[in-house]
Amino acid sequence: MQNKVLILDFGSQYTQLIGRRVRELNIFSEIKPYNKLPEDLSGYKAVILSGSPLSVRGDDAAHPDLSAIRGKKPLLGVCYGAQYLAHFNGGSVEKSNTREYGRANLSFVKGNEPFFDKVDAGSQVWMSHADTIKHLPENTTLLASTHDVENAAFKFEGEETYAIQFHPEVYHSTDGKQVLENFLVKIAGMEQTWTPDAFVDKTVAELKQKIGNEKVILGLSGGVDSSVAAVLLHKAIGKNLHCIFVNNGLLRKNEFTDVLKQYEGMGLNVKGVDASARFLDDLAGESDPETKRKTIGRVFIEVFDDESHLVENATWLAQGTIYPDVIESVSATGGPSQTIKSHHNVGGLPDFMKLKVVEPLKMLFKDEVRRVGASLGIDKSLLGRHPFPGPGLAIRILGDITPEKVAILQEVDAIFINGLKEWGLYDKVWQAGAMLLPVNSVGVMGDERTYEKCVALRAVESTDGMTADWVNLPYEFLQKTSNDIINKVPGVNRVVYDISSKPPATIEWE
C-alpha cells in the first residue's frame, strides 16, 4: 500500500484520535512509537507528529532523528510535534504563564493558504499544553494565531512542513477535520480510497491466499468484533471456518440461545457449548475481582481447548483483535512501553494449542469494524450492540458468585436493557448494564418489612470507552424501570442510578 500516513506517537492521550480522524477521511493511517521509526518509509506519503505529556525543554525530551522525513515527505507537527519542530530548529519554546487548556478561537488566519482552506478566523480550536512557542525559527511563516497563542500555526518555507499548537483531532476543534484534509489531500496529494468495501475485498483475497484450504477455529462472543471477523472469514473460506460460542453462565438473559439463532441466520458454522456449570463451580466462594477475572479466563481456555481438539486438522486460530489492542503504546516518561495490549476475551492462550493466529480486524478501529460489518450486510441490531465485558455478569455482581445472584441480575438487566430499547434510548447510549451490590437494605412491601438486595443501573456515553459520561436518562424512564424491577424481580427492594463519569470512576464496578 503506497497511500499511507505514518503517525509518530510521543505518548499523547489523543494519538489514536489522530489515527481515527485520518481514517474518517478514507485515508489509511498507522501509529508507531516515535523511537521505532520504520526502516522502509517508501509506503508513507505523509507523516504526523503527535502531542506528548513531555516538554521539549526537559532533559527527557523525545528527540528522534527525522532526517529521513524532513523536506522529503509532507510533515505535520501537532502540539508537542509543533514545539519539537520549533525548538530543535532555532525557535524558542517557553513555559506558559498560564496553562493553555481548553477551547480557543483563531483570531488570525493567513489568507490564500491551502493549509487553512475553508477555515476562517473565529474557528474554534482545542488547546492542551503547558509550554508555548514564543519565537518561530527562521525561514518560517506564521499561519494562524489565537488571542493567547500568537504562534498557533506556522510552516517552513521551501518544504511541506507544517506545525500547529492546537489539536485538530479533538471534536472541540470544529474545523479540525478540514485542516487534516487540507494537509493530507491538498498538500500531500493523498487519495481517499480507504473504504469499508475496499477493506473487505482486499482482506478476503488475503485470507484466501493465506489460509487456503485449511481449517480455522474462532471463539465467538456474540459481540461486534468477533461477529464481523467471523463473517469476513466465512466469506473467504466458507465451511472451513468452525466457530465456538461458549456459555459461561454469566451472559445476559436468554443470550446463549438468542445469539445462536442469530448466527444460524447468518449461515455460519457455529457450535454452542454450555459450560455454565463448570464456570460457576470454579467461581464458587470467590469474591476478589481480579481472581474472578483470572478464573473465568482460565476456564474459558480449558473449555475452548477441549472443543478445538474436536475439530480435526484445524491449523488456525482466528481472533477478533482490533487496532487499539495491538498498538504499541508510549509511556508518559517518554520511554517505549514493553507491553502490547492483549485481547480481553481470548488473551493468554496456552502454548500447547499449537495453532497459527489470524486476526483479520487487527488494523481497524472500533467504529471501522462496525462500518465493515455494514458493508458485509450484517444486521444493524448486531452491529449496534453495546460492548459487554468478557467476564460477563461476574464483574457486575460485587462479591461472590452464585446461580441465584446471576438469575436475579439477569432479570434486572433484561428489564433495564429492554426498557432502553422500548423507549428509543438504546442507540443513544454507548454502554448500559446493572450491578448487583453486596448490600441488603430495609424496605416495606405491602404490610411486610423486607431486607433485600440493592441494584445500581449504569448508562454511559462514549466513543471508545477511554472516557465516558453518565447519560441523563429521563426521570419517567428511571421511575418506570425502578418500579418494574422491584415489582418483578424477587429479592430486590432498592434501585439506584450511577451518576459517575470516567474518570475518576470506571464504567464497570469491578
Side-chain angles (χ1 to χ4, degrees):
M1 188 183 296
Q2 304 295 313
N3 195 52
K4 298 187 293 188
V5 177
L6 173 63
I7 299 168
L8 291 182
D9 179 22
F10 289 84
S12 169
Q13 61 178 322
Y14 298 134
T15 302
Q16 287 193 30
L17 266 182
I18 299 176
R20 283 170 51 194
R21 293 291 169 267
V22 172
R23 299 274 188 96
E24 286 172 8
L25 294 169
N26 295 332
I27 298 171
F28 188 70
S29 62
E30 287 183 354
I31 298 171
K32 303 288 185 183
Y34 74 88
N35 55 358
K36 292 190 177 179
L37 197 68
E39 291 184 12
D40 183 6
L41 295 171
S42 60
Y44 302 103
K45 289 190 74 171
V47 179
I48 298 175
L49 310 179
S50 83
S52 174
L54 302 172
S55 168
V56 294
R57 301 177 297 107
D59 294 335
D60 58 349
H63 187 191
D65 179 9
L66 299 181
S67 58
I69 298 171
R70 270 288 302 276
K72 300 178 176 67
K73 294 180 183 291
L75 174 65
L76 171 62
V78 174
C79 196
Y80 179 92
Q83 294 170 3
Y84 170 91
L85 290 171
H87 180 75
F88 292 109
N89 287 285
S92 65
V93 174
E94 300 177 11
K95 187 172 181 61
S96 301
N97 294 328
T98 57
R99 179 169 165 79
E100 293 164 351
Y101 182 84
R103 295 173 177 84
N105 296 93
L106 297 179
S107 56
F108 160 74
V109 175
K110 186 177 183 295
N112 299 318
E113 173 55 54
F115 186 79
F116 278 113
D117 186 40
K118 299 178 184 177
V119 181
D120 300 318
S123 178
Q124 179 179 286
V125 296
W126 182 261
M127 295 287 187
S128 179
H129 52 260
D131 291 346
T132 193
I133 300 170
K134 286 295 184 183
H135 301 289
L136 295 177
E138 292 183 7
N139 202 33
T140 58
T141 300
L142 179 67
L143 299 182
S145 308
T146 69
H147 178 72
D148 295 318
V149 181
E150 180 184 1
N151 299 310
F154 63 95
K155 71 175 180 179
F156 286 81
E157 295 300 325
E159 57 184 275
E160 294 175 325
T161 300
Y162 293 79
I164 49 179
Q165 286 209 82
F166 60 88
H167 286 271
E169 69 276 17
V170 176
Y171 281 116
H172 303 301
S173 292
T174 51
D175 292 313
K177 192 172 179 180
Q178 183 65 54
V179 170
L180 289 172
E181 184 173 359
N182 290 341
F183 171 68
L184 295 171
V185 179
K186 293 182 181 298
I187 293 165
M190 303 198 72
E191 298 175 7
Q192 295 172 279
T193 55
W194 170 253
T195 64
D197 288 347
F199 172 82
V200 169
D201 292 344
K202 179 173 178 289
T203 304
V204 167
E206 289 175 349
L207 290 170
K208 284 180 178 178
Q209 183 176 13
K210 185 175 190 175
I211 298 169
N213 201 35
E214 297 178 348
K215 292 181 180 178
V216 178
I217 298 171
L218 169 65
L220 283 172
S221 68
V224 176
D225 299 340
S226 65
S227 299
V228 173
V231 174
L232 255 180
L233 282 158
H234 180 71
K235 192 176 176 70
I237 63 171
K239 64 180 184 347
N240 280 339
L241 173 66
H242 295 259
C243 301
I244 299 170
F245 180 38
V246 177
N247 180 11
N248 59 11
L250 301 160
L251 303 174
R252 287 183 151 133
K253 183 181 178 181
N254 298 328
E255 185 164 17
F256 184 56
T257 53
D258 290 349
V259 169
L260 282 175
K261 286 179 184 174
Q262 191 167 29
Y263 283 139
E264 280 176 16
M266 295 164 64
L268 296 175
N269 175 18
V270 182
K271 180 180 180 181
V273 180
D274 188 356
S276 49
R278 186 169 173 179
F279 279 89
L280 293 174
D281 285 348
D282 277 44
L283 285 167
E286 189 54 65
S287 58
D288 178 69
E290 193 57 31
T291 304
K292 287 196 291 187
R293 286 177 179 271
K294 288 181 178 177
T295 299
I296 292 165
R298 172 181 58 77
V299 178
F300 175 83
I301 289 168
E302 292 170 358
V303 172
F304 191 83
D305 190 51
D306 289 346
E307 293 299 322
S308 69
H309 282 104
L310 301 178
V311 181
E312 292 184 11
N313 302 317
T315 52
W316 291 89
L317 171 70
Q319 292 183 235
T321 311
I322 62 175
Y323 199 35
D325 298 327
V326 298
I327 295 172
E328 187 172 355
S329 60
V330 173
S331 71
T333 59
S337 168
Q338 296 303 311
T339 59
I340 295 177
K341 300 171 189 174
S342 61
H343 188 246
H344 71 278
N345 279 329
V346 196
L349 287 165
D351 292 336
F352 55 77
M353 285 195 67
K354 305 297 181 190
L355 297 174
K356 297 175 283 187
V357 175
V358 58
E359 298 168 310
L361 307 179
K362 68 179 180 181
M363 296 307 292
L364 297 185
F365 289 104
K366 187 76 172 186
D367 52 329
E368 292 177 308
V369 174
R370 287 194 167 96
R371 292 203 295 271
V372 166
S375 175
L376 287 165
I378 297 175
D379 191 85
K380 286 183 180 179
S381 64
L382 196 158
L383 294 177
R385 289 189 63 171
H386 291 176
F388 188 66
L393 297 180
I395 58 172
R396 293 183 178 177
I397 298 172
L398 277 64
D400 67 318
I401 311 293
T402 66
E404 294 75 23
K405 289 180 180 179
V406 173
I408 288 173
L409 189 55
Q410 284 177 330
E411 294 297 330
V412 171
D413 179 82
I415 290 171
F416 184 33
I417 298 301
N418 290 336
L420 287 170
K421 292 176 179 177
E422 290 167 9
W423 281 61
L425 298 168
Y426 185 84
D427 291 336
K428 298 175 183 177
V429 172
W430 191 75
Q431 186 171 359
M435 320 295 161
L436 183 63
L437 307 185
V439 172
N440 280 34
S441 67
V442 174
V444 177
M445 298 184 77
D447 294 326
E448 295 185 5
R449 177 182 180 275
T450 62
Y451 190 58
E452 296 179 330
K453 293 292 183 187
C454 173
V455 295
L457 306 182
R458 183 103 162 108
V460 298
E461 52 189 3
S462 178
T463 54
D464 51 18
M466 301 299 291
T467 61
D469 290 321
W470 60 278
V471 177
N472 191 3
L473 295 173
Y475 286 153
E476 296 81 4
F477 168 77
L478 290 172
Q479 182 182 43
K480 184 178 188 308
T481 302
S482 174
N483 286 342
D484 285 348
I485 289 170
I486 291 170
N487 287 326
K488 297 177 181 178
V489 185
V492 176
N493 70 355
R494 190 175 298 270
V495 177
V496 298
Y497 185 54
D498 184 346
I499 57 169
S500 311
S501 293
K502 178 186 179 181
T506 53
I507 295 175
E508 301 294 342
W509 281 41
E510 283 194 344

